[in-house]
């Protein structure tokens, strides 16, 4: 729901900053924790200016200990605060995985609803920015496997701000994934003040009746470019941005797939064990008899994300997605 009509033209990372500033102003229980988020404003400047504005007690520079400050944030959340933790890169989250999965995701069930963990874990993710090893992982499926934590992944500045505010207000933990490739790729008019985008709802970005293309995060622009190329060949594609990875919006998937009968799923992550496999299962469960061709997946490869220039050979491209579209059309 939008409560402010004036807009600012922002990049995705600026929209994240604006969402954090908005909630720090509105709620005294919101607190930020992370490495270099204070004086330096974060490695991507997502928290720039916030410590100066709100003080060191609410924007806290932490030691290099993901397990430590994530665990501390869980305790804060149980005690009534709403911490927002920044993990510098998703590949750095693994030391905190035990805290997230053993405690944050399970606390509501463990205490039969007596305690909840209203916290957000922000994490830039993905390849394509020429980062070193471990900085470019897309391991979202490690977290979509565990009930109790929501996983959100915006692709636009508007959705980034609205979803982050919704995540901060959520009564349960939310992993908020930010595609690094998209941080400054586009600008968009973003409402000033507070508004939310509903968690758990996807968005159709393009209408077509021939094939459904499903993507999220940094793969959304790739999917849209492929759909534009397909249009020149007379192929009209529905393009769906999932926005939330857990819980999945099964209705938007089923409605589109039942209309088109053909599906291409685009994920940056490795093929094996990826979220695309869960989406394929949703299609099988809801829409199997509507299918005119097998579902095609366009993914990263089952290797560690390679260094620097080799990223271009690893990542899905519009050309690979277009080839998959043509394949399902010609089945």
């Amino acid at each position: 729901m939008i409560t402010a009509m004036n807009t600012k033209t922002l990049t995705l990372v600026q929209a994240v900053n604006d969402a954090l500033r908005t909630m720090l102003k509105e709620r005294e229980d919101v607190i930020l924790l992370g490495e270099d988020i204070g004086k330096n404003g974060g490695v991507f400047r997502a928290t720039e200016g916030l410590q100066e504005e709100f003080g060191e007690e609410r924007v806290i520079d932490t030691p290099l200990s993901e397990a430590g400050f994530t665990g501390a944030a869980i305790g804060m959340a149980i005690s009534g605060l709403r911490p927002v933790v920044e993990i510098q890169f998703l590949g750095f989250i693994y030391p905190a995985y035990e805290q997230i999965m053993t405690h944050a995701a399970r606390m509501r069930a463990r205490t039969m609803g007596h305690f909840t963990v209203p916290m957000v874990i922000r994490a830039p993710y993905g390849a394509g920015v020429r980062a070193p090893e471990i900085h470019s992982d897309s391991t979202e499926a490690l977290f979509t496997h565990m009930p109790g934590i929501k996983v959100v992944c915006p692709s636009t500045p508007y959705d980034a701000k609205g979803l982050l505010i919704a995540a901060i207000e959520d009564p349960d933990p939310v992993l908020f994934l930010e595609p690094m490739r998209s941080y400054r790729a586009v600008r968009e008019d973003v409402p000033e003040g507070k508004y939310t985008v509903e968690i758990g709802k996807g968005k159709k970005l393009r209408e077509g009746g021939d094939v459904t293309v499903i993507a999220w995060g940094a793969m959304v622009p790739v999917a849209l470019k492929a759909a534009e190329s397909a249009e020149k060949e007379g192929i009209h594609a529905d393009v769906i941005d999932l926005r939330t990875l857990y819980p999945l919006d099964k209705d938007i998937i089923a409605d589109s797939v039942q209309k088109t009968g053909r599906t291409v799923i685009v994920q940056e992550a490795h093929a094996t064990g990826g979220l695309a496999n869960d989406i394929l299962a949703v299609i099988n469960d809801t829409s199997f008899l509507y299918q005119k061709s097998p579902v095609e997946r366009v993914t990263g490869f089952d290797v560690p994300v390679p260094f620097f220039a080799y990223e271009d050979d690893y990542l899905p491209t519009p050309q690979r997605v277009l080839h998959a579209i043509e394949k399902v059309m010609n089945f």
Side-chain angles (χ1 to χ4, degrees), residues 177-234:
L177 299 176
E178 300 167 8
M180 290 187 290
R181 288 177 67 189
S182 304
Y183 262 158
R184 295 175 174 84
V186 296
R187 292 180 176 271
E188 184 178 36
D189 288 339
V190 175
E192 296 181 357
K194 182 181 177 184
Y195 69 94
T196 59
V197 172
E198 185 178 358
I199 294 174
K201 294 294 183 182
K203 182 179 182 180
K204 187 179 292 186
L205 304 180
R206 189 181 178 100
E207 187 82 35
D210 296 324
V211 60
T212 299
V213 183
I214 301 171
W216 56 93
M219 293 297 99
V220 170
V222 174
L224 286 169
K225 288 179 182 178
E228 292 171 3
S229 297
E231 185 85 20
K232 298 175 183 178
E233 300 179 11

Side-chain angles (χ1 to χ4, degrees), residues 1-2 10-16 19 152-168 176-179 186-191 195-205 215-217 220 224 240-244:
M1 182 176 67
I2 299 175
L10 302 176
T11 63
L12 194 151
V13 72
Q14 289 172 332
V16 167
V152 173
C153 185
S155 68
T156 67
Y158 177 91
D159 286 344
K161 181 178 177 180
L163 283 167
L164 183 51
I165 291 173
I168 293 171
F176 191 86
L177 299 176
E178 300 167 8
V186 296
R187 292 180 176 271
E188 184 178 36
D189 288 339
V190 175
Y195 69 94
T196 59
V197 172
E198 185 178 358
I199 294 174
K201 294 294 183 182
K203 182 179 182 180
K204 187 179 292 186
L205 304 180
W216 56 93
V220 170
L224 286 169
I240 294 173
D241 179 359
L242 289 179
R243 301 197 294 189
T244 298

Side-chain angles (χ1 to χ4, degrees), residues 230-252:
E231 185 85 20
K232 298 175 183 178
E233 300 179 11
I235 302 169
H236 307 286
D238 262 7
V239 177
I240 294 173
D241 179 359
L242 289 179
R243 301 197 294 189
T244 298
L245 309 185
Y246 187 86
L248 281 172
D249 186 347
K250 297 179 181 180
D251 290 337
I252 197 172

Side-chain angles (χ1 to χ4, degrees), residues 281-296:
V282 170
I283 294 169
N284 186 66
D285 292 344
T286 64
S287 312
F288 179 77
L289 296 179
Y290 293 85
Q291 295 305 290
K292 300 173 184 176
S293 76
V295 175
E296 282 290 315

